[in-house]
Amino acid sequence: NDMGQGWKIKCSLCTKALKKIQTLAGDNPDEAAVTAALKKGCRLLGRFLGKQCRKLVSQYQDQISQALQDGDMPRDICTTMGICKA
């Protein structure tokens, strides 16, 4: 039963994806910059992870967008969304 590991993988994917997206969005991004970065960031993770990333992003897009505009850290954003454990 590896359900316990599932969240770890999701958490690291979430953190990795958001770090990439944050870098792509640049400093003090506006919504348009974040949206563009969300699209591009998932593509950079490769096919398998990219698919997971897109699913995650479309589910949480508003939260992610707002958090990145607020300058929150990727790990904190993933924790807030309940993907990572605090």
Side-chain angles (χ1 to χ4, degrees):
N1 179 7
D2 63 353
M3 277 305 290
Q5 294 303 305
W7 71 268
K8 272 197 187 127
I9 296 165
K10 262 208 171 119
C11 174
S12 85
L13 166 69
C14 179
T15 309
K16 226 184 265 170
L18 286 185
K19 275 190 185 136
K20 270 215 162 52
I21 290 162
Q22 193 175 45
T23 306
L24 288 165
D27 297 329
N28 302 316
D30 57 13
E31 198 169 339
V34 172
T35 305
L38 287 173
K39 283 204 180 84
K40 211 185 280 177
C42 287
R43 249 203 324 266
L44 291 174
L45 290 174
R47 196 185 304 162
F48 175 72
L49 286 179
K51 200 190 263 178
Q52 305 293 314
C53 175
R54 277 193 295 278
K55 207 188 292 182
L56 186 91
V57 164
S58 62
Q59 201 176 342
Y60 296 105
Q61 182 157 7
D62 294 343
Q63 269 170 294
I64 293 173
S65 180
Q66 193 55 60
L68 287 175
Q69 288 173 70
D70 291 345
D72 295 347
M73 295 312 293
R75 174 77 201 217
D76 295 337
I77 300 170
C78 296
T79 305
T80 303
M81 295 189 306
I83 296 165
C84 294
K85 296 188 176 168

